[in-house]
Amino acid sequence: MFSLSKMPSTTSVLSAYTTLTASAVLVRTLVSEVQNMTNQLLPKNLQEKILSKVGILMGNLSSQMTLIIEENTGFTPNEVFEASNIYLGTIVYPSVQRVKISKAEKEKKFSVTISKDEKIIDTFEGVELIWELKIVETHKANCDDGYFSSEKVEQKWFELSFLKNHKEMVLDTYLPFVLEKSKAIKEENKVITLSPLGSYGESVNLHHPSTFDTLAMDPELKQKLMDDLNRFVMRKDYYRRVGKAWKRGYLLYGPPGTGKSSLIAAIANYLKFDIYDMELSSLQANSDFRRLLVSAKNRSILVIEDIDCTIELENRDGGAHQSESQVTLSGLLNFIDGLWSSCGDERIIVFTTNYKERLDPALLRPGRMDMHIEMSYCTPSGFKILASNYLGLKNHCKFREIEELITELNVTAAEIAQELMISDEADIALDGLIKFLNKKKEEKIVVQNALDEKEDEIEEINKQVETKEIKKRKGNSRRGGRTRRKIF
């Protein structure tokens, strides 16, 4: 029970209050003296660090500001949280006691993140900033068919603390720097993915080794394409200014085995864009195109291979017989450059075909397919790239013979690569390639001779037919002359 006899006396309360007041005055005096000394003896940035430490030590947080950066904003991931998490993984100092380490299969580097309640101190433009990760577990109640259950849900957020007078610098300069830095880190460590677009299936990491350095392609055409890609990714403001969607279309055409798929992989590796392989045969209606465009991420390549034979596109002028249950050419054209095509940025659309002449002219016009790239048969320069890739050779005494044969023949890069892979011994591999090319040359001669014989036969038949026609006309002429003499 409460007892009046246990209450402190008025004298004791006043004495304690006096002591507390005196202590507070003493602390303020000390802080003031420290501030005066630091103002006189130390640089401004060092002054702020000392005063910040003194303020935190004395429990005086009035000079501090803390920003709360939550993991999600509603149902949408918070870009600032993700960027902060990536950035802080690169500034872990020895003073930090606990960090989390992870690494996905075939990723280049370890992923480092800070642990719960761990503090990291960052310095930017002489200003000290203190980061701390907070995690709270809550239980979420679920009701399914009358049965109640709960699951653990983690709420995460970063607390960023600093002196109040640096608020504008943090918001206007520091956080934008963190966003840009994290973006650069993501690009450096990014693993390109290959995803089916229009059919079921999960994304897989694409570790295709093709690059522009290893691609057996005409050097001038290769450089022209690289320049076009560089110009495309640097022109965000340009596309916005001229009122066009930020996208680019490429048509790759040529015989099978000339490297169309390898070129797509090389573009993805060069730009670090994800690839979406679009299966038109899995689509049921034109409305599916909109779903696909929305599901594709920015900075990606949308690929439709063998466009001339993937599906039978209904003619866009088909009239009343078309229905929404059909995939039409008009639907595909709207997918490429209609209103829905502008719902993403930095996208590349690639069509491939073995037979360019079979495509509807509407697919080929600028704005849909901006650049037409012919993937031709292998050239001497392409062969040298393949020899360097597969055998590590820059030159060899047998190159001249091989290059002369390649100039005479229609041989694909895939055929040459297949021969070079037979042996690691350069002489054996090159001899095998020469034998393969000579055999191909003999086959060409046989085919050409057969064609020449056919042409000779056709020419002989044409001569015989022509001779018969001449004789027939002469016979008709003589009979006509005799008839006229009888009449007159």
Side-chain angles (χ1 to χ4, degrees), residues 212-231:
F212 280 114
D213 290 333
T214 63
L215 204 62
M217 184 178 177
D218 178 73
E220 291 185 6
L221 179 59
K222 185 189 300 186
Q223 189 59 52
K224 182 179 179 182
L225 174 58
M226 293 173 67
D227 292 342
D228 191 77
L229 292 169
N230 291 333
R231 187 164 52 250

Side-chain angles (χ1 to χ4, degrees), residues 453-465:
E453 289 178 3
K454 288 291 184 183
E455 287 181 0
D456 291 341
E457 290 178 6
I458 293 171
E459 186 176 352
E460 182 62 31
I461 292 172
N462 288 336
K463 285 182 179 179
Q464 293 175 3
V465 171

